[in-house]
Amino acid sequence: MKNQLTITETSNLLGLEESTIEWIISKDDPELEPYIQRKSGNGSSEKKQITITLDGLPTLIKKLSYNIQTADIIENLSCQVLHLEILRQENEELKEDNLKLRKELNELKAQLLEHEEIISAAKDVGLRNTISRKLRWFK
């Protein structure tokens, strides 16, 4: 799992404007700094790539909450709770599908093994018949 989020990813996750998150990060808050990584862009025209660790999200949210109205915070949190519940339900469905597919795979493997044994037995019988016909020809 990815341990770093870009400003854009953080913005999408929290439902806030990128500029709001950039503004909080630009304050160089000592409590938030351990969770921030700044990487230089490849060219002179590219701006710095800023990422925040997942561990830093609670601190970032706390810092954001000082600057956002309570109603906006509650709305964002309710959207996140809804999103998490949808993901949880999808995860449960995927687990069920995975179990069904594993069961089907095991059944198909058993059928394949059974068919391979039938083919092998048929080859053995065919080989014995061929050998016995050849031996009769030599008599």
Side-chain angles (χ1 to χ4, degrees), residues 13-85:
L13 178 67
L14 300 177
L16 298 170
E17 295 291 324
E18 287 183 36
S19 59
T20 304
I21 294 168
E22 288 172 345
W23 179 71
I24 294 297
I25 290 174
S26 71
K27 291 184 169 193
D28 297 329
D29 186 301
E31 193 176 352
L32 191 57
E33 277 304 306
Y35 306 107
I36 304 296
Q37 288 190 346
R38 293 173 172 85
K39 297 177 187 171
S40 302
N42 292 338
S44 58
S45 62
E46 289 185 37
K47 63 183 199 177
K48 286 184 177 182
Q49 175 74 20
I50 299 172
T51 59
I52 184 164
T53 64
L54 292 178
D55 295 345
L57 279 179
T59 306
L60 176 64
I61 291 169
K62 181 176 81 173
K63 298 298 178 179
L64 287 165
S65 69
Y66 298 144
N67 300 289
I68 299 174
Q69 296 178 3
T70 305
D72 291 340
I73 293 170
I74 292 169
E75 181 183 356
N76 285 341
L77 287 174
S78 64
C79 288
Q80 293 305 317
V81 168
L82 175 63
H83 185 248
L84 287 172
E85 178 56 23

Side-chain angles (χ1 to χ4, degrees), residues 82-97:
L82 175 63
H83 185 248
L84 287 172
E85 178 56 23
I86 290 169
L87 289 175
R88 188 195 64 75
Q89 289 177 4
E90 287 176 355
N91 190 33
E92 288 300 316
E93 289 173 10
L94 289 172
K95 284 180 181 179
E96 289 173 13
D97 289 347

